[in-house]
Amino acid sequence: MSEMQERGEAQRHEGPEESSPAKRLSDAFTVTIGATVPTGFEHTAAEEVGEKIGADVRISKDRGRIYFEVTTEDLPQVHHLKSVDNLFVVVEEYANYQFKDTKEETLEDFQKLASKLAWTDPLEVWRLNNSVKKKRWRRKGGNGGKGKASGDSGKDGVEAVTADTESLRLESPGTPAGGSREPEDEADLDNGTSGELDKDAEEQEEEAADALLKFRVTCNRAGDKHTFTSNEAARDFGGAVQDFFLWKPDMTKFDIEVLLNIHNSEVVIGIALTEESLHRRNITHFGPTTLRSTLAYGMLRLCKPQVSDVIIDPMCGTGAIPLEGAIEWHHSFYLAGDNNDMAVSRTINNIGHIHKKRLNKGSTAWALPIDTLQWDLCHLPMRTGSVDIIITDMPFGKRMGSRKKNWDLYPSCLREMGRVCRPGTGKAVLLTQDKKCFSKAVSKMGGLWRKALTVWVNVGGLHAGVYHLKRTGAIFGTTPEDVREPRGANETAGGIKEDE
């Protein structure tokens, strides 16, 4: 037996006693949780974690990741964070990992690394997490049928599978899985029980094979000084994990996902706690450019909505922004509008889905503080100075609209937004990738708007900006920008898009 297998066997023998579910439930322990967030909104996510969980947050050098420590008692609260896309529990962090000079030596180090890590607490967090996360603990199409058929679900199902898996690891290679017995005397054979025993043994072997955890290793690598590829690192590290735990590799129907995150010299090993990104939480009717809910939440936090604020999204698309706001900041009122009838229909359907889900959960609360209508952005059916916050995803000119139309559309949009927004206190948070056009438009509307902050984000691989504007104290109609409408505004008013 190799040294790795010997150490693995020793840790597997110690595991059940040290990390039994009963002990862990009664004695909470502290672990480090990692979260991926929309790039540029790391500080916004850190604020939310501090407010809702009370944990100190460390922002990673690798953009789009934060780390914080929580106890296992706070694990359910972590899943209610609105600004995070994916969650994972940290097994080990190396702030300055010393990579070898050659690819072969580096990959050999990765193979040795699996047996050196302290897996016990992170694996226990993974097991506990399966009982509290919102989705089923098994991936769709995985091996969840066995647990469901036996009546096990949630935590009980996980513990049952865990116990079965541990027993499998400790059995001798020659013993059939499940420990079928031999007939004690010839009477058993005469009674015809041998066939039943064989059948039971086969069923137990099948169940044992299903109980064996399936896993995959995912490597995310950034940096240009590495001698290896992401696939090579995942392959060699994954092989070592398989040898150590005797898990079965499966790239699609896996039970557990081990993460190998490499950013320059920083290496973080973790175990995924989410099966799919949390950014799809409120949307069921998608458009061609639907905005991520996590990004919408980050934009809303920049606005800091207050009680009784009137907030509009004049290019709502599928309603991602007003939906997120109405759920999280429900003491404000939201208007979602678009000139596209399909976009308005999708928004109405998404609002209806959230309301129906609430009713199914037994909620007696009133409907969401949100209304939807179809309008022309350049001629909003609202009184001058009646809106507190304007927040929207503007057309990039890529998948929706065009760069040429943006040169007329953007100034016209900003002018009409300046009209309906309250002078002195009003705000606007606008997302666009057409940075040159937007900056020019803002400079033309200097009497109405001033730029307060710009957050650079990654939207589907595009480098975009979230611009936080503040309404000046000037009364609409008294500045040079108000005198004349930009050329071609009427023609471009129909070029409004869905969420970019």
Side-chain angles (χ1 to χ4, degrees):
M1 183 181 292
S2 66
E3 181 181 353
M4 177 184 294
Q5 290 173 326
E6 290 177 358
R7 296 187 60 180
E9 196 66 27
Q11 182 166 332
R12 286 192 289 273
H13 274 86
E14 295 172 358
E17 180 180 352
E18 294 181 352
S19 59
S20 63
K23 181 176 184 293
R24 289 304 190 187
L25 286 172
S26 61
D27 300 327
F29 57 101
T30 302
V31 293
T32 301
I33 299 294
T36 59
V37 302
T39 56
F41 281 100
E42 295 87 356
H43 292 281
T44 303
E47 286 179 7
E48 186 195 10
V49 173
E51 288 177 10
K52 295 183 177 179
I53 300 180
D56 293 330
V57 180
R58 174 169 52 86
I59 298 174
S60 172
K61 297 177 183 177
D62 185 10
R63 292 192 71 198
R65 284 196 180 92
I66 61 173
Y67 299 95
F68 52 95
E69 291 189 350
V70 298
T71 64
T72 49
E73 292 177 341
D74 294 328
L75 195 58
Q77 298 180 42
V78 174
H79 281 274
H80 289 92
L81 295 174
K82 303 293 185 180
S83 55
V84 303
D85 288 317
N86 291 284
L87 296 164
F88 59 95
V89 57
V90 174
V91 177
E92 189 62 74
E93 294 181 75
Y94 298 93
N96 189 21
Y97 190 89
Q98 299 299 315
F99 293 104
K100 294 295 192 295
D101 295 331
T102 65
K103 177 174 71 174
E104 290 73 17
E105 291 177 319
T106 301
L107 294 177
E108 186 178 352
D109 274 0
F110 282 145
Q111 293 174 8
K112 296 177 181 178
L113 186 61
S115 61
K116 299 177 182 178
L117 302 176
W119 294 94
T120 304
D121 281 355
L123 281 173
E124 188 59 38
V125 171
W126 173 78
R127 293 175 187 128
L128 293 174
N129 180 73
N130 287 328
S131 65
V132 299
K133 65 185 178 182
K134 299 175 183 177
K135 299 288 185 180
R136 286 175 54 190
W137 76 277
R138 291 270 188 182
R139 295 183 69 85
K140 291 181 180 179
N143 295 325
K146 294 287 182 182
K148 185 176 181 180
S150 62
D152 291 331
S153 61
K155 180 176 176 299
D156 294 336
V158 176
E159 291 176 4
V161 171
T162 301
D164 291 342
T165 306
E166 291 294 343
S167 66
L168 283 172
R169 293 169 183 161
L170 301 180
E171 287 172 359
S172 61
T175 304
S180 61
R181 66 179 181 89
E182 294 292 334
E184 294 181 359
D185 50 42
E186 294 180 358
D188 290 333
L189 295 176
D190 294 337
N191 292 333
T193 57
S194 60
E196 294 178 3
L197 289 172
D198 291 340
K199 184 177 179 181
D200 290 342
E202 290 176 1
E203 289 178 354
Q204 288 171 350
E205 287 178 2
E206 290 177 1
E207 290 175 0
D210 286 335
L212 193 64
L213 288 178
K214 297 178 181 179
F215 84 105
R216 82 170 183 187
V217 171
T218 301
C219 179
N220 298 298
R221 183 182 62 87
D224 54 3
K225 295 183 179 180
H226 301 134
T227 59
F228 55 90
T229 66
S230 300
N231 287 337
E232 289 171 337
R235 178 197 65 201
D236 286 46
F237 183 70
V241 171
Q242 180 184 5
D243 292 340
F244 184 70
F245 285 107
L246 304 181
W247 291 341
K248 181 180 178 181
D250 193 318
M251 299 301 293
T252 56
K253 299 177 182 178
F254 52 88
D255 301 297
I256 184 167
E257 182 176 20
V258 179
L259 305 175
L260 179 60
N261 297 325
I262 303 171
H263 179 73
N264 293 325
S265 61
E266 181 184 66
V267 176
V268 179
I269 296 97
I271 297 175
L273 300 180
T274 47
E275 297 174 348
E276 60 181 9
S277 178
L278 301 176
H279 76 268
R280 294 174 175 265
R281 55 181 170 261
N282 297 324
I283 305 298
T284 54
H285 294 74
F286 290 85
T289 53
T290 298
L291 192 69
R292 301 165 70 96
S293 295
T294 47
L295 185 53
Y297 178 85
M299 293 172 65
L300 282 158
R301 278 193 74 96
L302 287 180
C303 302
K304 294 180 169 57
Q306 303 298 313
V307 175
S308 78
D309 275 354
V310 175
I311 303 173
I312 69 169
D313 182 351
M315 293 176 275
C316 66
T318 55
I321 294 174
L323 261 175
E324 196 69 29
I327 293 171
E328 189 70 9
W329 292 275
H330 56 272
H331 295 299
S332 302
F333 180 74
Y334 301 83
L335 276 173
D338 204 295
N339 82 311
N340 188 307
D341 56 348
M342 289 184 64
V344 174
S345 177
R346 290 190 183 107
T347 300
I348 292 173
N349 288 332
N350 282 323
I351 294 172
H353 168 74
I354 296 297
H355 185 57
K356 183 178 179 181
K357 191 162 65 171
R358 285 182 160 194
L359 292 177
N360 290 339
K361 290 182 179 179
S363 174
T364 57
W366 288 8
L368 294 172
I370 181 174
D371 203 354
T372 309
L373 64 162
Q374 188 170 353
W375 59 26
D376 178 354
L377 168 63
C378 297
H379 301 88
L380 294 173
M382 306 190 73
R383 287 193 293 186
T384 299
S386 61
V387 174
D388 296 289
I389 296 173
I390 300 171
I391 178 168
T392 195
D393 174 16
M394 302 184 75
F396 287 12
K398 295 281 188 180
R399 287 171 289 182
M400 299 294 290
S402 70
R403 292 294 182 98
K404 184 177 180 181
K405 289 183 177 180
N406 284 350
W407 285 98
D408 288 327
L409 178 63
Y410 279 17
S412 183
C413 291
L414 289 172
R415 179 182 181 277
E416 183 66 357
M417 290 176 184
R419 181 185 72 81
V420 302
C421 204
R422 297 188 195 279
T425 60
K427 312 169 190 174
V429 173
L430 310 175
L431 168 66
T432 180
Q433 191 260 342
D434 198 347
K435 300 178 283 292
K436 182 178 179 180
C437 180
F438 185 83
S439 297
K440 190 72 173 179
V442 171
S443 67
K444 289 180 179 179
M445 296 290 147
L448 296 173
W449 297 103
R450 59 184 177 85
K451 220 186 291 186
L453 175 69
T454 303
V455 177
W456 301 110
V457 298
N458 185 309
V459 182
L462 299 175
H463 185 253
V466 175
Y467 297 89
H468 185 195
L469 308 180
K470 290 189 176 180
R471 179 68 165 84
T472 66
I475 303 300
F476 184 83
T478 63
T479 65
E481 292 83 353
D482 312 333
V483 176
R484 188 174 62 188
E485 226 177 81
R487 176 179 57 83
N490 290 332
E491 289 78 13
T492 59
I496 313 305
K497 62 172 230 7
E498 297 186 15
D499 293 346
E500 189 73 46

